Amino acid sequence: MTGAFRPMPRAARRRGAVAVLGAVLAAAALASGCGIRTTSVPVDAGAAPSRVPCKLPSADVTTRSPDSVAAPVYLVCASQLVTVDRPVPAGASGAGALVAARALLDQVRQVPPESERRAGFSTAVPAGLRVEPSRAGDPAGTLRLSSQPEDLSEEALAQLVCTYAENEALVTKGSVVLGGPGEYPPRGYLCTSQTKARPQDGTTPDVLDLD
């Protein structure tokens, strides 16, 4: 009957299917040759790393009140010591070494705020560490800690020594003199470029003979 639906012959249908399959395989080979990998599973590469670690945006710099001054304290960042400015009472430096040492310790042992943590900063100084007055017979400029300096982690001791070394009132003959609660004699500690670069190294900070 003219105009009636006439099914495609089986041989023609087979040739058409083979042609379609060939086209699919050719497209897949082309994609593979271009280095394209197809996958049906989403890939999570994780958060992008910070491009500028250990650097705070100007908007995140800690603000200070009119009766405070900015003092550099050393924190750990990217396995090194890096300074950040922290507010300390304006009269701390002129009030004596012990007052200055306590004000700086308050800052260096604090858990960094979120803006600093995002930039990679942390502190190893124990939250309970304290500074006590020197004793009779101690070398000039001695600061006694509530823990023996050698019992602190290498990073914590390096942080504290380098932070104190930035304040002239806490430096005696080029070193920071620290003792502990026991009867061990105080020792002089140096903050060197090696101390800042490798605070986790057990050989730093360098120790001076005070005899």
Side-chain angles (χ1 to χ4, degrees):
M1 179 183 298
T2 304
F5 174 74
R6 301 177 66 181
M8 181 182 296
R10 181 178 302 174
R13 292 200 304 270
R14 185 180 298 113
R15 287 195 299 271
V18 170
V20 171
L21 177 59
V24 171
L25 293 176
L30 180 61
S32 176
C34 294
I36 301 173
R37 295 181 60 190
T38 58
T39 177
S40 60
V41 180
V43 177
D44 183 5
S50 173
R51 294 189 178 186
V52 188
C54 308
K55 184 174 178 62
L56 294 173
S58 57
D60 289 336
V61 175
T62 303
T63 57
R64 53 187 176 85
S65 62
D67 58 348
S68 67
V69 295
V73 302
Y74 281 87
L75 300 179
V76 179
C77 191
S79 300
Q80 302 178 54
L81 294 188
V82 183
T83 56
V84 298
D85 285 339
R86 290 284 180 80
V88 297
S93 294
L98 184 60
V99 173
R102 285 174 171 170
L104 290 170
L105 176 59
D106 284 343
Q107 293 300 324
V108 78
R109 70 185 178 186
Q110 283 184 13
V111 175
E114 183 180 355
S115 59
E116 292 178 0
R117 295 198 302 272
R118 286 199 305 266
F121 290 95
S122 64
T123 183
V125 179
L129 188 66
R130 303 183 309 278
V131 182
E132 306 296 346
S134 60
R135 301 174 184 172
D138 281 346
T142 295
L143 297 168
R144 288 274 181 177
L145 304 179
S146 57
S147 295
Q148 195 66 26
E150 295 78 11
D151 290 341
L152 299 174
S153 70
E154 288 84 358
E155 290 178 329
L157 181 56
Q159 277 186 259
L160 195 59
V161 169
C162 288
T163 296
Y164 283 172
E166 294 285 341
N167 190 302
E168 292 183 359
L170 305 180
V171 178
T172 302
K173 296 181 179 179
S175 70
V176 175
V177 184
L178 299 176
E183 298 302 322
Y184 297 103
R187 308 170 78 183
Y189 296 88
L190 297 176
C191 177
T192 66
S193 57
Q194 178 71 6
T195 307
K196 298 173 186 177
R198 296 185 58 82
Q200 69 282 352
D201 190 336
T203 63
T204 59
D206 293 336
V207 180
L208 290 181
D209 184 2
L210 299 178
D211 294 337

